[in-house]
């Protein structure tokens, strides 16, 4: 399977399916909240019930920041706190917040274009 590459040259695995509390990414089932970063899908350990900056700080603190983070908030769009939006703006990282279904489609489209993106996805 050929995977699209982003501007940094790392492979971006496609999201094949989602639902039932997880995702199928590049043919592998991932349960629960999931990150796609550095060309790999991995579990996303949330620190509490509500999303806060600490849950997403890894994207801001890295030297090779993505151009954009696609944030899937679950079954419906819930905007993150202003502090998160402000931190991403100050870091120069685009933050696209949407429901998870739309986030998966958007991620696949942008990954297919070879964009330098990452994803943080809450399951549906």
């Amino acid at each position: 399977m050929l995977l699209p590459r982003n501007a940094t040259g790392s492979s971006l695995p496609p999201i094949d399916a989602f639902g039932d509390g997880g995702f199928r990414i590049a043919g592998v089932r991932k349960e629960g909240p999931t990150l796609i970063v550095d060309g790999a899908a991995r579990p996303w350990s949330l620190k509490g019930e509500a999303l806060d900056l600490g849950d997403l700080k890894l994207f801001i603190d890295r030297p090779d920041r993505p151009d954009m983070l696609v944030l899937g908030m679950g079954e419906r769009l819930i905007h993150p706190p202003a502090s998160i939006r402000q931190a991403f703006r100050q870091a120069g990282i685009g933050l696209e917040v949407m429901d998870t279904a739309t986030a998966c489609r958007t991620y696949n489209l942008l990954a297919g274009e070879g964009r330098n993106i990452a994803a943080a996805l809450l399951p549906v």
Side-chain angles (χ1 to χ4, degrees), residues 49-89:
E49 291 293 315
L51 192 65
D52 70 21
L53 185 57
D55 295 317
L56 299 168
K57 197 109 168 92
L58 74 115
F59 297 104
I60 294 171
D61 289 345
R62 54 188 306 125
D64 59 339
R65 295 177 181 149
D67 295 331
M68 178 187 302
L69 175 67
V70 177
L71 178 58
M73 295 298 292
E75 289 189 21
R76 60 186 178 91
L77 172 63
I78 300 170
H79 290 283
S83 60
I84 291 176
R85 295 190 308 272
Q86 181 180 5
F88 273 79
R89 197 169 30 257

Side-chain angles (χ1 to χ4, degrees), residues 25-46:
I25 300 173
V28 178
R29 176 76 180 175
K30 303 291 183 182
E31 294 295 328
T34 301
L35 299 175
I36 302 175
V37 63
D38 295 329
R42 63 183 192 197
W44 181 18
S45 298
L46 299 170

Side-chain angles (χ1 to χ4, degrees), residues 90 94 96:
Q90 288 175 341
E96 294 297 326

